[in-house]
């Protein structure tokens, strides 16, 4: 699953703007000051006991579109784990149970069962104790109008163009809102879906389509999936979908989209067959199912969901050729496809081990990038994953990768689960080497195919496949938290031709964060380009290494291929950085050099960055050079950036240039950004220009941004850039406009950005306007749009006003989506902490004033005594 916090939600405007360190955060996401992942009241959670074994789930569904409800029959085939089973308990929420029957295997009769529905559980009393050898079917007739799990999309007065359709979303434990089931991942069964829909609609579910029966104005689709899978992976999507058929070998690979999106689907999803082939070959397990379908739906609450054989994606990933220049669906598509092995074929036993699903899918999307776009793009993806995780760790909370204490399972779907999980796998690949890594992966998938897994299964599989005991590694990186924070020092002894390299780990070492023991590479590159690479083992808090070399290195690299998750504190001489920027054969080293040079100044640095901006072959290096020129902020640097707009054609680099021109708060920068806003190569470049134009705070910016609001764009990115520009502009005239754009009926993605912008705008407007903003945000907590509600929570946290706490508590108590609950709880804590800091500051100010008064009085007494002595 690619979720709210993952790389595919809300299109990651911060990354799109080119702010590398905020990769995969939303545009206005802020750093929180609390550090504990478990919040007050959270409890340990473990996989539930299994009283029975489910072998098959068959659903018969009749959808009522006008009433957004369904009538269903759920037939679950099961048998007891132990003799003496007298009660069967299913998960079931907000549904009316009409009747329940029991049918023993081989029997024709269905015996009515007594039942009670309470506390999201359906308790069924069996007619007699059952033995472990007895197979039976529980048949439940029910009706539901689900608020969760199954979503009915339909037009309304504000959005008359919406297309009627339905889709489900089961992860983590939401399918029990629309059919009764054992809703935990540690149980697998085959599944069957018989669904009756209007004749003009198509219905997609798991597995193979067995038949389609036509009725009077209806069609009934019969799907069956013969490979056992967890109940959260059961899916249903119904609507007037258009099919675009593709295939890999004999396996069908259809795409389903709403009418009018066919060409975008071909462009956005077109690499899927190649991905199926690549993953099949690299994992060593051929794609294991009858088909692989993708359906794109409206208003999806995640970026994507890996339902077995039938992935659901947000329609916002569909894009045209113009957007394709600097936007791609490939990582999302690869992520959900990788789940067909890691998450579906092998499934975490409990959500605490969910990194075995999400970490693998995140890393395999990077591996696809490595295969498709090359090594440099791959390393940059790994670096970006690290920045995303580090941002959460340093600014939000720190937790072990496997954590059992939380409120709801969705709390775990964070940057640790996804990005840190991927980085742990990347380091395992480093330790095992290419041959050992792929051998271990094949063995792990082969051994546990069709099973539920925990982290120990991966650890043991690696040991059995390669002979490597990696228990210390897993103890450090999975069961404990944090990462090494390195402080480095390098010196050269010319007389002995010896390099002295000191490595210190400076992280606070405690029960949560260990001293890390891991190998690392050092590369010494001579002026002539000779590269000497050494691997050293880090085991102590401090190490000093000595290396005899033929000549003084032009520059030195620490972990040059970016294998390790880490931070580095290393002040290097300008000359080494300039040499690395020009001569390093590793693009990652040139990126690091470009970033470090942005912290320095001087005409020679600007000249070197200009050369890089013109000549480097890798777009990321050119983009980092642009960002460093923006950080330097000199007139020379500004002119280099303005000139670059005349020759740089690559959209992603143009976006980086536009984003940093806002650092130059002058007329020249504003004029250049205005020109971009009249039309550039992509909407994303224009978005960056809108954001930067507000930052210039030039008089012309307000009118230009107001005009830009009139234009639609891909996923509303331009308007989102405008709203960010408004917050940078700090002009109170923007308030009525932003308030207007939060109204229900405005384009959804623009509403999210406008809502978030209110939180930042409220920090510098007058008290009267601030009250207006708070009142609007409180109203938006009840909005029909889930993402708008989430944006309102974040904005209220940004404002930090105590008035919001009571309403946020109500959200905690009433919200059905666990992400709303978690964000509201976090916001309440952050607001209280902010108020506590404000009170502390005021007390300190009062104490200071009191001391100042006392000092004045004492000084007056001393002066009086001195006068008397005279």
């Amino acid at each position: 699953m690619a979720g709210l916090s993952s790389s595919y939600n809300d299109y990651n405007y911060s990354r799109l703007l080119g702010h590398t360190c905020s990769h995969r955060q939303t545009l206005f996401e802020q750093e929180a000051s609390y550090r504990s992942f478990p919040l007050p009241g959270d409890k340990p959670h473990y996989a539930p006991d299994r009283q029975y074994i489910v072998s098959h789930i068959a659903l018969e569904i009749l959808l009522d579109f006008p009433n957004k409800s369904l009538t269903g029959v759920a037939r679950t085939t099961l048998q007891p784990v132990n003799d003496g089973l007298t009660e069967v308990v299913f998960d079931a929420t907000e549904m009316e149970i009409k009747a329940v029957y029991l049918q023993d295997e081989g029997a024709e009769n269905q015996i009515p069962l007594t039942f009670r529905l309470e506390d999201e559980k359906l308790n069924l009393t069996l007619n007699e104790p059952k033995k472990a050898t007895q197979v039976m079917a529980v048949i439940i007739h029910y009706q539901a109008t689900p608020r969760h799990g199954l979503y009915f999309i339909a037009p309304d007065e504000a959005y008359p163009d919406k297309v009627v359709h339905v889709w489900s979303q089961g992860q983590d434990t939401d399918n029990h809102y629309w059919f009764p089931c054992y809703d935990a991942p540690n149980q697998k069964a085959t599944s069957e879906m018989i669904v009756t829909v209007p004749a003009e609609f198509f219905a997609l579910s798991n597995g193979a389509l067995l038949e389609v029966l036509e009725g009077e104005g209806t069609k009934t689709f019969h799907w069956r999936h013969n490979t056992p899978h967890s109940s959260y992976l059961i899916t249903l999507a119904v609507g007037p979908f258009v099919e675009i058929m593709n295939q890999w070998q004999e396996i069908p690979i259809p795409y389903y989209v709403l009418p009018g999106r066919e060409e975008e689907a071909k462009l956005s999803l077109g690499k899927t067959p190649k991905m199926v082939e690549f993953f099949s070959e690299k994992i060593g397990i051929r794609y294991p199912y009858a088909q692989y379908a993708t359906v794109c739906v409206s208003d999806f609450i995640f970026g994507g969901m890996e339902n077995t054989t039938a992935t659901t994606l947000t329609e916002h990933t569909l894009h045209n050729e113009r957007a394709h220049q600097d936007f791609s669906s490939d990582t999302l598509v690869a992520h959900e496809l990788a789940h067909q092995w890691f998450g579906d074929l092998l499934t975490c036993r409990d959500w605490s081990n969910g990194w075995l699903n999400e970490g693998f899918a995140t890393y395999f999307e990077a591996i696809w990038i490595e295969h498709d776009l090359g090594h440099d793009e791959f390393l940059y993806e790994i670096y970006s994953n690290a920045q995303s995780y580090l941002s959460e760790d340093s600014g939000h909370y720190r937790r072990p990768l496997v954590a059992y204490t939380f409120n709801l399972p969705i709390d775990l779907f964070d940057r640790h689960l996804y990005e840190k999980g991927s980085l742990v796998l990347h380091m395992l690949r480093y330790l095992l080497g290419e041959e050992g890594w792929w051998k271990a992966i094949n063995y792990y998938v082969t051994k546990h195919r069709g099973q539920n897994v925990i982290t120990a299964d991966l650890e043991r599989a690696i040991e059995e496949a390669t002979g490597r005991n990696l228990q210390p590694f897993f103890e450090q990186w999975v069961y404990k938290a944090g990462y090494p924070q390195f402080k480095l020092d390098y010196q050269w002894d010319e007389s002995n031709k010896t390099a002295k390299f000191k490595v210190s780990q400076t992280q606070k070492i405690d029960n949560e964060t260990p001293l890390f023991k891991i190998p690392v590479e050092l590369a010494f590159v001579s002026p002539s380009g000779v590269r000497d690479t050494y691997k050293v083992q880090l085991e102590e808090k401090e190490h000093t290494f000595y290396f005899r070399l033929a000549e003084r290195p032009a520059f030195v690299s620490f972990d040059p291929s970016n294998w390790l998750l880490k931070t580095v504190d290393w002040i290097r001489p300008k000359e080494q950085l300039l040499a690395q920027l020009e001569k390093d054969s590793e693009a990652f080293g040139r990126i690091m050099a470009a970033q470090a040079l942005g912290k320095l100044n001087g005409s020679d640095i600007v000249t070197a960055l200009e050369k890089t901006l013109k000549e480097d072959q890798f777009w990321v290096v050119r983009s980092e050079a642009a960002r460093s020129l923006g950080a330097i902020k000199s007139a020379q640097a500004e002119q280099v950036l303005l000139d670059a707009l005349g020759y740089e054609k690559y959209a992603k680099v143009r976006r980086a240039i536009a984003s940093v021109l806002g650092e130059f708060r002058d007329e020249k920068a504003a004029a250049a950004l205005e020109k971009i806003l009249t039309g550039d190569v992509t909407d994303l470049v224009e978005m960056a220009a809108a954001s930067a134009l507000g930052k210039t705070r030039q008089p012309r910016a307000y009118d230009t941004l107001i005009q830009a609001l009139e234009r639609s764009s891909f996923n509303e990115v331009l308007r989102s850039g405008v709203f960010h520009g408004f917050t940078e502009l700090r002009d109170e005239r923007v308030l009525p406009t932003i308030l207007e754009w939060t109204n229900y009926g405005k384009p959804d993605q623009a509403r999210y950005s406008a809502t978030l912008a209110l939180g930042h705008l409220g920090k510098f407007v007058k008290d009267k306007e601030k009250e207006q903003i708070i009142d609007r945000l409180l109203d938006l907590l009840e909005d029909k749009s889930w993402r708008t509600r989430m944006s309102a929570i974040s904005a209220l946290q940004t404002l930090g006003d105590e008035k919001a706490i009571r309403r946020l508590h109500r959200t905690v108590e009433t919200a059905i989506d666990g992400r709303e609950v978690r964000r509201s709880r976090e916001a309440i804590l952050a607001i209280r902490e902010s108020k506590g800091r404000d009170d502390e500051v005021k007390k300190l100010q009062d104490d200071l004033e009191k001391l100042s008064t006392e000092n004045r009085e004492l000084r007056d007494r001393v002066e009086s005594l001195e006068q008397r002595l005279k």
Side-chain angles (χ1 to χ4, degrees), residues 178-193:
W178 66 284
F179 66 91
C181 60
Y182 179 97
D183 205 358
N186 66 326
Q187 183 94 260
K188 291 194 171 195
T190 55
S191 68
E192 196 167 0
M193 179 77 68

Side-chain angles (χ1 to χ4, degrees), residues 357-404:
N357 292 16
E358 300 301 344
F360 267 92
T362 305
Y363 190 52
F364 270 73
E365 68 179 85
I367 288 175
W368 167 255
I369 290 175
E370 182 180 28
H371 169 75
D372 189 49
L373 300 178
H375 184 66
D376 290 342
E377 293 270 8
F378 167 70
L379 287 188
Y380 184 64
E381 183 72 8
I382 295 299
Y383 170 75
S384 299
N385 285 353
Q387 300 315 300
S388 178
Y389 158 70
L390 291 169
S391 177
E392 180 170 86
D393 178 273
S394 62
H396 202 166
Y397 52 71
R398 170 172 292 185
R399 71 170 180 87
L401 201 49
V402 174
Y404 290 95

Side-chain angles (χ1 to χ4, degrees), residues 41-267:
D42 287 358
K43 298 176 182 178
H45 294 264
Y46 304 97
D49 294 337
R50 294 190 304 153
Q51 303 296 326
Y52 53 86
I53 300 170
V54 178
S55 58
H56 187 66
I57 300 171
L59 301 175
E60 294 184 39
I61 302 293
L62 176 63
L63 296 172
D64 180 350
F65 285 85
N67 293 308
K68 298 184 176 181
S69 65
L70 66 98
T71 301
V73 178
R75 181 185 180 96
T76 303
T77 304
L78 56 85
Q79 67 185 92
V81 173
N82 301 302
D83 290 344
L85 183 69
T86 58
E87 185 179 57
V88 172
V89 180
F90 287 137
D91 298 289
T93 298
E94 297 182 357
M95 59 181 64
E96 181 184 356
I97 307 300
K98 300 290 189 179
V100 181
Y101 301 94
L102 179 72
Q103 185 174 24
D104 289 321
E105 185 178 41
E108 295 183 2
N109 295 333
Q110 294 184 1
I111 302 170
L113 296 182
T114 60
F115 61 88
R116 69 182 189 280
L117 185 62
E118 60 184 14
D119 297 329
E120 300 191 0
K121 299 291 184 181
L122 176 59
N123 300 271
L124 313 175
T125 302
L126 301 181
N127 58 323
E128 61 182 6
K130 300 294 182 179
K131 294 183 178 296
T133 56
Q134 290 181 270
V135 178
M136 67 201 80
V138 174
I139 302 106
I140 303 170
H141 296 254
Y142 68 100
Q143 190 171 20
T145 305
R147 294 189 297 149
H148 217 41
L150 189 71
Y151 299 81
F152 289 79
I153 309 303
D156 60 19
E157 186 176 347
Y159 298 98
D161 296 330
K162 282 192 175 182
V163 178
V164 173
H165 60 297
V166 170
W167 46 264
S168 68
Q169 170 54 35
Q171 192 175 29
D172 47 87
T173 56
D174 294 347
N175 268 345
H176 71 274
Y177 285 86
W178 66 284
F179 66 91
C181 60
Y182 179 97
D183 205 358
N186 66 326
Q187 183 94 260
K188 291 194 171 195
T190 55
S191 68
E192 196 167 0
M193 179 77 68
I194 301 172
V195 56
T196 301
V197 302
E200 67 272 20
F201 284 0
F202 172 79
L204 175 68
S205 191
N206 309 88
L209 181 59
L210 300 185
E211 62 178 347
V212 181
L213 300 177
E214 296 191 10
E216 189 172 332
T218 67
K219 285 183 180 177
T220 299
F221 292 80
H222 185 180
W223 291 87
R224 185 179 176 103
H225 187 38
N226 291 324
T227 303
H229 57 154
S230 297
S231 60
Y232 76 88
L233 295 166
I234 292 176
T235 187
L236 178 63
V238 176
F241 296 113
V242 179
E243 180 185 81
I244 300 101
M245 182 55 72
N246 214 323
Q247 68 179 60
W248 173 68
Q249 297 181 6
E250 76 283 3
I251 294 177
I253 302 180
Y255 317 136
Y256 297 97
V257 294
L258 296 172
R261 310 302 298 269
E262 295 90 337
E263 292 305 312
E264 293 174 309
K266 294 175 186 177
L267 177 65

Side-chain angles (χ1 to χ4, degrees), residues 13 16-17 264 318-327 651-652 654-656 658-659 673 676-691 708 711-722 749:
Y13 293 121
L16 295 177
L17 281 170
E264 293 174 309
L318 299 174
H319 58 279
N320 60 20
E321 290 282 0
R322 172 176 160 85
H324 197 63
Q325 296 177 76
D326 54 2
F327 180 88
K652 292 181 180 180
R654 290 186 66 80
R655 194 197 318 156
S659 68
L673 292 167
I676 293 174
L677 277 173
T678 63
D680 211 274
V681 292
T682 71
D683 296 337
L684 292 169
V685 178
E686 295 170 19
M687 174 194 73
S691 176
R711 293 161 50 197
S712 297
S713 61
F714 165 65
N715 287 338
E716 293 295 320
V717 293
L718 176 55
R719 286 176 175 140
S720 296
V722 168
Q749 291 174 298

Side-chain angles (χ1 to χ4, degrees), residues 3 84 103 151 253 292 483 489 554 556 648 683 688 799 808:
Q103 185 174 24
Y151 299 81
I253 302 180
Y292 183 63
Y483 49 88
D489 182 65
V556 183
E648 178 59 68
D683 296 337
L799 284 173
L808 289 169

Side-chain angles (χ1 to χ4, degrees), residues 595-619:
Q595 289 184 356
L597 286 167
K599 300 175 183 178
L600 305 178
N601 210 330
S603 178
D604 54 342
I605 291 175
V606 174
T607 300
L609 290 170
E610 178 182 22
K611 184 173 186 291
T612 299
L613 186 54
K614 287 181 176 179
E615 299 178 2
D616 202 281
Q617 296 300 302
F618 188 32
W619 71 269

